[in-house]
C-alpha cells in the first residue's frame, strides 16, 4: 500500500510501477487518479493534480489543512506550470503557515498573497542584470501594448519562470534533468 496516498484521497491505492517524471503528464490525462511518489535529495516528491490545486486554493480547505498538519515542521512547496495554457501557480508553506501564494494565467496575475520568495527576487534581479526584463518590456511595447501592459506581461513572464527555479532550489537539480532521471512510484486506486 502506498503510505502517503491516504493524505490525498480517501481511496486505497496500490503500487503499480515506476515512471519517470516526464511520464507523469501522460498519466495526468490517462489516469487522473494516479499518484506519483518518490524521494530525491531529502525531499518527498508527490505528484497528483488534485493535491497541487488543494494547496494552491486561496482559502485552504479541510483536506489541505490535514496534509499540512501531517507534515509539521516542514516546508511544503506546491508547484503547477503549464506551458500550453501559459499558466502557473506556486505556494510555500513553512511550519504549517502559508507564506506565499502566486497564481497566473494567460498573462495575468490572479493571486498574489504573502511575501515574495528569495527565489522570485533573485530571478528578477538576474533578469534585470542581464537586460532580459527590459527586453520583455520592449518586446511587448513593439507588439502594441501600453507601457503598463508591457510591464504587467513582463512581470507575468518572470513569475511564470519561478516554478522551474523552485524545482532547482529544493531538489538541487534542473527540471530538464529531473524530467529524464527522477523515477517515481506510480500508485493507482484499488
Amino acid at each position: 500500500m502506498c503510505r502517503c496516498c491516504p493524505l490525498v484521497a480517501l481511496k486505497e491505492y496500490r503500487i503499480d510501477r515506476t515512471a519517470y517524471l516526464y511520464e507523469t503528464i501522460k498519466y495526468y490525462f490517462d489516469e487522473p487518479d494516479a499518484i506519483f511518489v518518490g524521494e530525491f535529495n531529502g525531499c518527498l516528491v508527490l505528484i497528483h493534480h488534485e493535491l497541487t490545486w488543494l494547496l494552491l486554493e486561496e482559502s485552504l480547505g479541510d483536506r489541505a489543512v490535514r496534509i499540512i498538519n501531517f507534515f509539521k515542521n516542514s516546508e511544503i512547496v506546491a508547484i503547477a506550470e503549464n506551458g500550453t495554457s501559459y499558466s502557473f501557480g506556486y505556494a510555500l508553506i513553512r511550519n504549517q503557515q502559508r507564506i506565499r501564494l502566486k497564481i497566473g494565467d494567460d498573462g495575468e496575475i490572479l493571486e498574489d498573497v504573502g511575501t515574495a520568495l528569495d527565489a522570485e527576487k533573485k530571478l528578477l534581479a538576474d533578469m534585470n542584470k542581464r537586460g532580459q526584463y527590459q527586453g520583455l518590456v520592449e518586446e511587448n511595447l513593439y507588439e502594441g501594448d501600453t507601457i503598463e501592459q508591457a510591464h504587467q506581461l513582463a512581470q507575468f513572464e518572470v513569475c511564470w519562470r519561478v516554478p522551474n527555479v523552485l524545482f532547482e532550489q529544493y531538489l538541487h537539480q534542473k527540471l530538464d534533468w529531473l524530467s529524464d532521471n527522477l523515477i517515481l512510484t506510480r500508485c493507482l486506486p484499488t
Side-chain angles (χ1 to χ4, degrees):
M1 249 346 118
C2 190
R3 292 282 176 222
C4 46
C5 296
L7 296 172
V8 179
L10 299 175
K11 303 174 189 173
E12 289 289 322
Y13 282 76
R14 64 178 168 75
I15 293 174
D16 179 50
R17 68 177 194 82
T18 60
Y20 286 98
L21 179 61
Y22 76 86
E23 294 178 292
T24 62
I25 190 67
K26 173 184 183 265
Y27 295 112
Y28 177 78
F29 297 109
D30 296 344
E31 297 276 352
D33 289 333
I35 295 173
F36 298 88
V37 182
E39 183 273 332
F40 190 80
N41 282 342
C43 293
L44 172 66
V45 178
L46 234 166
I47 298 176
H48 185 268
H49 72 283
E50 186 179 339
L51 173 61
T52 301
W53 289 106
L54 283 174
L55 298 172
L56 291 174
E57 290 289 328
E58 183 178 6
S59 179
L60 296 171
D62 291 341
R63 288 177 68 201
V65 170
R66 283 197 318 262
I67 292 167
I68 292 166
N69 289 337
F70 184 83
F71 292 103
K72 292 179 181 177
N73 304 315
S74 299
E75 285 192 5
I76 300 171
V77 181
I79 300 171
E81 185 268 324
N82 186 324
T84 305
S85 66
Y86 205 42
S87 62
F88 71 88
Y90 51 90
L92 175 62
I93 299 152
R94 183 178 291 139
N95 298 325
Q96 298 172 274
Q97 298 295 313
R98 184 160 60 188
I99 61 171
R100 187 62 166 146
L101 170 65
K102 195 145 193 176
I103 299 171
D105 184 48
D106 198 25
E108 185 178 341
I109 303 296
L110 304 174
E111 297 288 341
D112 189 352
V113 179
T115 306
L117 303 174
D118 289 342
E120 293 173 83
K121 294 174 192 174
K122 184 178 183 313
L123 178 61
L124 180 57
D126 289 346
M127 289 180 74
N128 276 325
K129 184 178 179 179
R130 293 192 304 265
Q132 292 174 317
Y133 180 83
Q134 187 58 36
L136 290 170
V137 171
E138 290 170 7
E139 180 182 319
N140 291 319
L141 286 172
Y142 179 77
E143 293 179 8
D145 293 318
T146 66
I147 188 74
E148 184 180 299
Q149 291 169 323
H151 277 286
Q152 176 186 341
L153 291 169
Q155 283 288 332
F156 178 88
E157 179 69 28
V158 172
C159 296
W160 184 72
R161 296 176 185 195
V162 171
N164 284 333
V165 173
L166 291 173
F167 259 100
E168 188 172 344
Q169 176 184 333
Y170 282 91
L171 298 177
H172 307 290
Q173 199 60 253
K174 292 200 179 289
L175 182 57
D176 290 344
W177 185 91
L178 287 167
S179 185
D180 294 333
N181 293 285
L182 178 57
I183 298 174
L184 302 167
T185 301
R186 181 173 81 159
C187 301
L188 296 173
T190 54

